[in-house]
Amino acid sequence: MTAPLPLLNGQLIGITYHAIAAVRDRLLATSGLTFHQSVALNAAADGLDRATAVTRMVATLKIDAAEGHALLDELTAAGLIDGDPVSPADKPSPTDKLTLTDEGDRIHRGFREAVAALADRLYGGLSTTERELAARALAHVTARANAELAALDDVTQPASR
């Protein structure tokens, strides 16, 4: 007899996250990128402007805008995003579209292909219906967690004067 499956909870989500993140991080190690840098590279590959890319990273990674700009600056300095590394006196326009260099494109394509292959291996035995149910449940939990985070930010941020 098999043990009953646990209900979806934070511990199960956390264990799953860490298992997938460990594999993802090993895939990323071959490129020399961190996960946060890979998210920034994805934003550049999507052709976003700098301001939109930073907004996406803030929402996705739960970082502040300065960290988002720093990630883009790191990728520019590494020659993965077109442009010159940003100096404090020479900020790029927030509406400038981000573009990958040839090397940035090579790394991005390689990582995306590796992640797609990993997803096929991880989710291959699940039906479309099972994947849709899981996605719906996780989207619901994510929305509630984001609301909780916003409420905590409201409580912990000093009032403007």
Side-chain angles (χ1 to χ4, degrees):
M1 183 184 281
T2 60
L5 291 174
L7 293 176
L8 182 65
N9 61 37
Q11 182 180 15
L12 183 59
I13 292 170
I15 290 168
T16 303
Y17 165 78
H18 286 290
I20 294 170
V23 176
R24 176 207 65 212
D25 290 346
R26 287 192 184 165
L27 292 173
L28 271 173
T30 62
S31 69
L33 295 178
T34 66
F35 174 64
H36 284 82
Q37 289 170 330
S38 75
V39 172
L41 197 65
N42 280 337
D46 288 346
L48 300 179
D49 61 63
R50 188 176 183 91
T52 304
V54 168
T55 298
R56 179 193 284 182
M57 289 184 285
V58 166
T60 303
L61 300 173
K62 310 302 183 221
I63 60 175
D64 63 32
E67 291 174 278
H69 285 288
L71 287 166
L72 294 173
D73 295 344
E74 291 168 12
L75 295 177
T76 302
L80 302 179
I81 294 177
D82 279 326
D84 295 321
V86 178
S87 67
D90 185 31
K91 292 288 184 200
S93 167
T95 58
D96 288 346
K97 295 283 184 205
L98 299 170
T99 56
L100 299 181
T101 63
D102 289 344
E103 180 65 4
D105 184 58
R106 183 191 66 76
I107 288 172
H108 179 258
R109 277 186 291 107
F111 180 64
R112 295 296 289 231
E113 289 168 5
V115 168
L118 173 64
D120 285 345
R121 292 189 303 275
L122 293 177
Y123 310 129
L126 298 174
S127 71
T128 301
T129 301
E130 289 171 318
R131 290 178 72 178
E132 287 171 349
L133 286 170
R136 198 170 11 258
L138 291 173
H140 181 79
V141 172
T142 300
R144 285 189 172 186
N146 284 335
E148 289 289 331
L149 184 60
L152 288 171
D153 285 348
D154 289 344
V155 171
T156 59
Q157 298 296 324
S160 321
R161 294 180 187 226

